[in-house]
Amino acid sequence: GEFWQWKTSDVSAWVAKSWQQHVPKFEEHVITGATLTQLTDADLKEMGIYKIGERKEIMTAIGALQHQRSSAPMIVYCRNVPSAFRSFLQVFTFSWVQTDNRCASASEVKESLVAQHSSVAIVSTLLVSVSLDWLVGTPNDCFCAQDGSNCYCGAGYDMDGTPLRLFFLSTALSCPLLFFSSVLAVIQIM
């Protein structure tokens, strides 16, 4: 059969062709064909294969096996729908972008995450622009009659003292935080 369907004994036979001394390590860690494709250099080192050259050879041979495969099964990832309370908390942490309850292949998960992070970037960017407008535009809003005779200039939504300072402080703090979340979301898309 195909290598990803190999049992531990099949993997042992494959390992024995070039690295007989390491067969017990693969058997001890119950390495099947499916887990063989997921091994990393660090995994091999943890299994007790300390020689760099041997680890590189094994990783190259695994890569060659993966390259030869014709119809490998897809790895499927599943996400759970959160409870109502958890959903409420997600509104404030941007975790709401991961609430769908479906299973998907790795490429579908990547596509979904790109869309979700794009949503975060768009929402954060819009909130930054609104916050900046509040911060910069609010103290200077003036409303005048069309003929320019009667003008009313407001300052901070006509707040005064502590409420006005809190308004500007919260708006000033939210701008860089929202900007950072926009940048982070875009970086995660890349």
Side-chain angles (χ1 to χ4, degrees):
E2 299 291 345
F3 79 91
W4 61 83
Q5 296 172 332
W6 288 354
K7 297 178 182 171
T8 304
S9 57
D10 300 317
V11 171
S12 296
W14 177 77
V15 171
K17 291 178 184 175
S18 301
W19 309 281
Q20 178 64 43
Q21 71 277 20
H22 297 306
V23 170
K25 295 169 186 165
F26 279 80
E27 290 173 346
E28 175 188 345
H29 292 279
V30 194
I31 304 299
T32 63
T35 54
L36 185 67
T37 63
Q38 298 172 11
L39 284 179
T40 64
D41 186 74
D43 293 331
L44 293 174
K45 193 172 186 178
E46 188 175 326
M47 289 169 56
I49 303 171
Y50 297 112
K51 293 183 180 176
I52 294 172
E54 288 180 336
R55 289 197 316 266
K56 297 272 186 203
E57 288 174 1
I58 293 170
M59 293 304 297
T60 301
I62 292 170
L65 279 175
Q66 288 177 318
H67 186 68
Q68 293 172 0
R69 69 181 179 187
S70 57
S71 58
M74 294 178 130
I75 296 174
V76 175
Y77 300 91
C78 297
R79 291 172 287 205
N80 297 320
V81 175
S83 67
F85 178 72
R86 182 103 173 115
S87 295
F88 178 75
L89 290 177
Q90 288 178 348
V91 169
F92 302 103
T93 62
F94 284 119
S95 297
W96 50 268
V97 297
Q98 299 176 12
T99 59
D100 59 344
N101 184 27
R102 63 185 183 96
C103 295
S105 68
S107 62
E108 290 172 326
V109 168
K110 181 180 178 183
E111 183 179 313
S112 174
L113 288 175
V114 166
Q116 293 164 352
H117 288 295
S118 298
S119 298
V120 169
I122 290 167
V123 168
S124 297
T125 303
L126 290 172
L127 289 173
V128 166
S129 67
V130 168
S131 297
L132 283 173
D133 183 54
W134 283 348
L135 188 62
V136 176
T138 300
N140 303 319
D141 282 343
C142 290
F143 304 96
C144 298
Q146 287 183 342
D147 63 1
S149 59
N150 294 326
C151 290
Y152 170 76
C153 294
Y157 292 107
D158 295 328
M159 291 186 278
D160 207 5
T162 302
L164 182 62
R165 284 192 288 280
L166 288 175
F167 172 79
F168 283 116
L169 177 66
S170 64
T171 305
L173 289 175
S174 69
C175 286
L177 292 174
L178 290 167
F179 178 75
F180 177 72
S181 80
S182 297
V183 170
L184 188 61
V186 170
I187 288 171
Q188 290 177 343
I189 291 170
M190 296 175 177

